[in-house]
């Protein structure tokens, strides 16, 4: 799926060419974001860190493409807010809200893998009827 460091650098507006000073600072922010994912209980690799452009997204999370995309967005938002925050507080507030939403979605996705998610009324037992709000009736 490609280099984690290079993906984040490009999203931040930098070249994917090696730059020791920028790379080190961005890796610190990326690793902080991975640590937060572990601390909020995502169940993903808790000791995962990147040390170069060699680490890839599929080394951290494989199989669930939607989850990987959520994680990529989360790592970008966390890194952007820490490494290159906007001078505009409205933009930073928006990023903070987006981070909270992504944390919730990632946590939900790791709590209920694809094969355990209830997708429709047909996934409930025959004797259980569910209304539109998802409540049993």
């Amino acid at each position: 799926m490609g280099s984690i460091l290079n993906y984040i650098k490009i999203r931040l507006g930098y070249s994917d060419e090696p730059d020791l000073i920028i790379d080190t600072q961005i890796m610190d922010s990326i690793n902080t974001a991975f640590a937060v994912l572990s601390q909020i209980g995502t169940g993903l690799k808790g000791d995962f860190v990147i040390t170069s452009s060699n680490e890839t997204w599929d080394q951290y999370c494989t199989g669930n493409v939607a989850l990987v995309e959520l994680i990529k967005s989360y790592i970008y938002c966390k890194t952007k807010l820490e490494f290159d925050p906007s001078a505009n507080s409205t933009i930073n507030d928006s990023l903070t809200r987006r981070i909270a939403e992504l944390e919730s979605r990632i946590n939900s996705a790791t709590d209920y893998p694809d094969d355990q998610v209830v997708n429709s009324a047909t996934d409930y037992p025959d004797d259980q009827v569910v209304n539109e709000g998802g409540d049993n009736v």
Side-chain angles (χ1 to χ4, degrees):
M1 278 195 217
S3 166
I4 295 170
L5 176 61
N6 290 342
Y7 175 85
I8 297 299
K9 282 176 66 175
I10 290 169
R11 293 269 324 255
L12 291 171
Y14 292 90
S15 165
D16 63 355
E17 294 297 317
D19 182 322
L20 183 61
I21 294 171
I22 290 174
D23 289 359
T24 301
Q25 292 173 351
I26 292 174
M27 283 188 293
D28 286 346
S29 294
I30 290 170
N31 288 332
T32 298
F34 279 124
V36 170
L37 282 177
S38 174
Q39 290 174 349
I40 64 172
T42 61
L44 299 170
K45 297 178 181 176
D47 59 349
F48 189 82
V49 294
I50 67 167
T51 57
S52 69
S53 62
N54 294 330
E55 290 81 15
T56 62
W57 294 106
D58 55 353
Q59 288 175 314
Y60 181 71
C61 178
T62 59
N64 186 333
V65 176
L67 177 59
V68 173
E69 293 304 317
L70 288 171
I71 291 168
K72 288 165 86 170
S73 291
Y74 178 80
I75 299 295
Y76 163 72
C77 289
K78 288 287 283 187
T79 303
K80 170 73 176 158
L81 197 57
E82 183 176 315
F83 176 76
D84 187 23
S86 175
N88 184 329
S89 64
T90 303
I91 292 173
N92 291 335
D93 291 344
S94 178
L95 270 175
T96 300
R97 286 190 304 274
R98 178 74 175 137
I99 288 166
E101 176 190 1
L102 288 165
E103 286 174 348
S104 175
R105 291 182 183 277
I106 291 167
N107 218 346
S108 292
T110 55
D111 283 346
Y112 302 102
D114 285 341
D115 61 345
Q116 295 178 1
V117 174
V118 176
N119 294 314
S120 69
T122 59
D123 291 338
Y124 288 93
D126 291 335
D127 63 340
Q128 190 175 14
V129 178
V130 179
N131 67 17
E132 286 183 10
D135 300 324
N136 296 341
V137 285

